[in-house]
């Protein structure tokens, strides 16, 4: 098994597809497993729009002709600018189009377990097959990392609380009271969708006021005035020097002191809604700002929430369901496909995220992580689809180099060229997808 040339990619979302596409530019034998765009299709609510703008929503590929704009052109759709919010259904269709063109050998079966074996890895599939691999790239998406507040566990067990990733259709709450906990895009868009579906949402936010992004100054970032571009340089994550820095410099971000990295990861692109969401939120349903959930219990088939407010004030809110829009926290221990002994072998940052090399390799030789799992090492860019432009070519180059593949250097050069082109082209105003 140690001599087996196969590399396995676990997951077929944007990061898994991009990584496989770049590995296709090498001579490395690769197998990729999973349902294409499964998280986006089954864990994002119907009616959702991406917060990222079109120029920052393309999946990275080693050649031209595979961007979101190319997908629209291939479908006979007109070009769109950055004032166009992308419907999740359209983005899923784009992902399928990308997969059909660049990852046609995707195997639509689930990985059940990855374990160490004979100097490499054994990958057990739902089909019953066991694959020997010299390297494994974990691109399993974000659902496993959903942060579910411990205080809501009894309510969740009773069906009275859930996480936003649990609901592809929020219309199931029509006619019911729903307390939405959070102040970010997921919370605010979920509340808007609940309201529009006939539910009665109430947002509970720790922030003193809701924040929304500013609308683009132009439909294309290149049309911004020079003074404005100097004052707030454009980047894949939005205009501004801090966003410019973390968007253009994920490799440098990795070398920052750990407390500085943690600060940026926590504060850059903090909780806020997209600019186009404000009109669907303001005045449509109650928003309780500067409130903290301190206790929750079941009461007569419903939920009683105890809230702490400003200056030590206390309050009670009665609702039928609690929807936690509380984001995601990376923790290797929560990746079910990795056997316990393998998880325990991975060196992690405080909190459980894997410590990664420049090539996205963990402390376990041959085990790579990409996507959200890489954000604590490389920064906020890895929370977004645009992060594939940095991650995918580097993972492919690292895997190829470790195998002694002759064209590893050319892949690395292509990665550098891709990053430079992406940096020039991705002058967008986006935030996160959700």
């Amino acid at each position: 098994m140690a001599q087996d040339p196969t590399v396995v990619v676990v997951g077929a979302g944007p990061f898994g597809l991009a990584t496989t596409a770049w590995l296709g530019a090498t001579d490395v034998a690769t197998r990729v497993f999973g349902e294409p765009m499964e998280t986006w299709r089954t864990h994002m609510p119907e009616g959702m729009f991406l917060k990222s703008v079109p120029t920052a929503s393309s999946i990275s590929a080693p050649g031209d002709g595979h961007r979101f704009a190319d997908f629209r052109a291939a479908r006979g759709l007109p070009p769109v600018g950055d004032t166009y919010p992308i419907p999740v259904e359209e983005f899923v269709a784009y992902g399928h189009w990308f997969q059909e063109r660049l990852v046609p050998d995707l195997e639509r079966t689930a990985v059940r377990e990855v374990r160490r074996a004979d100097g490499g890895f054994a990958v057990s599939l739902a089909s019953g097959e066991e694959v020997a691999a010299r390297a494994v790239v974990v691109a399993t998406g974000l659902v496993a990392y959903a942060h579910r507040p411990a205080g809501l566990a009894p309510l969740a067990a009773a069906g009275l609380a859930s996480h936003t990733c649990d609901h592809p259709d929020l219309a199931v709450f029509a006619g019911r009271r729903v307390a939405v906990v959070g102040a970010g895009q997921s919370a605010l868009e979920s509340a808007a969708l609940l309201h529009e579906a006939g539910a009665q949402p109430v947002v509970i936010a720790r922030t003193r006021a809701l924040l929304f992004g500013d609308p683009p100054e132009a439909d294309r970032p290149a049309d911004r005035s020079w003074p404005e571009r100097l004052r707030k340089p454009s980047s894949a994550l939005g205009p501004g020097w801090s966003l410019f820095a973390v968007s253009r410099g994920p490799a440098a971000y990795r070398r920052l002191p750990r407390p500085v990295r943690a600060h940026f990861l926590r504060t850059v692109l903090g909780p806020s809604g997209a600019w186009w969401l404000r009109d669907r939120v303001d005045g449509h349903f109650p928003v309780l700002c500067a409130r903290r959930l301190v206790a929750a219990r079941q009461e007569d088939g419903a939920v009683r929430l105890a809230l702490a407010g400003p200056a030590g004030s206390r309050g009670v809110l009665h609702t039928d369901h609690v929807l936690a829009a509380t984001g995601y926290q990376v923790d290797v221990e929560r990746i079910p496909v990795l056997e316990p002994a393998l998880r325990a072998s991975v060196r992690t940052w405080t909190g459980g995220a894997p410590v990664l090399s420049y090539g996205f390799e963990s402390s376990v030789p041959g085990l790579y992580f990409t996507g959200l799992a890489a954000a604590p090492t490389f920064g906020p860019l890895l929370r977004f689809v645009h992060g594939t432009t940095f991650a995918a070519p580097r993972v492919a180059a690292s895997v190829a180099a470790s195998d002694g593949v002759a064209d590893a250097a050319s892949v690395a050069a292509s990665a550098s060229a891709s990053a430079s082109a992406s940096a020039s082209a991705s002058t967008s105003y986006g935030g996160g997808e959700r």
Side-chain angles (χ1 to χ4, degrees):
M1 186 172 296
Q3 302 303 315
D4 194 286
T6 301
V7 173
V8 166
V9 178
V10 184
F15 280 88
L17 294 175
T19 299
T20 307
W22 277 91
L23 282 167
T26 74
D27 293 329
V28 175
T30 306
R31 294 180 70 177
V32 55
F33 302 103
E35 287 291 331
M37 305 298 288
E38 182 176 21
T39 295
W40 292 84
R41 184 172 48 82
T42 63
H43 293 279
M44 302 295 174
E46 182 179 344
M48 169 191 154
F49 292 86
L50 272 66
K51 191 179 180 185
S52 293
V53 297
T55 52
S57 300
S58 294
I59 302 171
S60 179
D64 295 332
H66 309 291
R67 297 180 62 81
F68 178 72
D70 300 314
F71 159 73
R72 286 186 59 87
R75 293 293 178 92
L77 300 171
V80 293
D82 281 352
T83 55
Y84 175 76
I86 302 174
V88 68
E89 295 82 5
E90 184 176 3
F91 186 69
V92 169
Y94 164 55
H96 279 269
W97 177 83
F98 184 99
Q99 177 263 311
E100 290 164 1
R101 290 166 61 92
L102 290 177
V103 193
D105 295 329
L106 170 69
E107 299 178 56
R108 300 175 71 161
T109 187
V111 171
R112 293 301 186 209
E113 184 182 63
V114 178
R115 66 183 185 277
R116 278 178 161 176
D118 300 331
F121 301 92
V123 181
S124 300
L125 307 178
S127 63
E129 181 184 1
E130 186 164 286
V131 179
R134 71 168 185 86
V136 172
V137 181
V138 179
T140 48
L142 49 76
V143 175
Y145 306 129
H147 174 55
R148 304 172 188 272
L152 296 180
L155 295 178
L160 298 174
S162 55
H163 192 276
T164 49
C165 71
D166 297 329
H167 302 288
D169 183 9
L170 291 171
V172 297
F173 293 106
R176 301 172 65 190
R177 301 168 298 174
V178 182
V180 182
V181 181
Q185 176 73 5
S186 179
L188 300 180
E189 188 172 24
S190 294
L193 290 169
L194 285 164
H195 170 73
E196 292 157 6
Q200 302 166 39
V202 176
V203 173
I204 302 171
R206 289 193 179 196
T207 54
R208 301 184 67 85
L210 297 185
L211 298 177
F212 294 90
D214 295 325
E217 297 157 352
D219 207 35
R220 295 186 310 120
D223 294 336
R224 298 174 68 208
S225 68
W226 273 108
E228 188 60 28
R229 277 189 268 178
L230 287 173
R231 188 173 71 87
K232 290 184 176 182
S234 298
S235 76
L237 302 184
W241 283 103
S242 63
L243 298 180
F244 180 88
V246 299
S247 178
R248 302 284 184 106
Y253 181 99
R254 176 177 169 271
R255 298 188 177 278
L256 293 173
R258 187 182 305 178
V260 177
R261 287 200 313 273
H263 172 75
F264 277 127
L265 197 64
R266 185 176 65 254
T267 60
V268 173
L269 292 172
S272 67
W275 63 271
W276 46 262
L277 191 54
R278 183 190 290 272
D279 289 343
R280 296 169 59 192
V281 172
D282 284 351
H284 290 288
F285 42 81
V287 176
L288 306 179
C289 288
R291 301 297 201 283
R292 181 169 54 88
L293 181 61
V294 295
R297 73 167 188 260
Q298 186 174 352
E299 188 176 86
D300 298 328
V303 179
R304 182 184 188 275
L305 301 177
L307 307 177
S313 61
R314 298 280 174 164
V316 172
L317 176 68
H318 293 91
T319 188
D320 297 313
H321 192 89
V322 180
L323 186 63
T326 43
Y328 303 86
Q329 294 182 354
V330 177
D331 185 349
V332 170
E333 287 296 325
R334 298 170 67 182
I335 303 177
V337 298
L338 301 183
E339 67 160 344
L342 181 55
R343 294 198 299 262
S345 299
V346 177
R347 182 183 169 213
T348 61
W349 302 114
T350 301
V355 176
L356 302 176
S357 72
Y358 177 79
F360 287 71
E361 189 174 20
S362 73
S363 59
V364 176
L367 183 63
Y368 297 77
F369 293 84
T370 189
L372 183 64
T377 296
F378 293 102
L381 182 66
L382 274 295
R383 291 174 173 169
F384 308 92
V385 171
H386 190 76
T388 60
T389 61
F390 175 78
R394 281 159 182 77
V395 173
S398 180
V399 170
S402 68
D403 194 39
V405 172
D407 62 358
S410 64
V411 173
S414 297
S416 178
S418 173
S420 298
S422 173
S424 298
S426 64
T427 49
S428 69
Y429 299 81
E433 280 68 57
R434 243 209 149 209

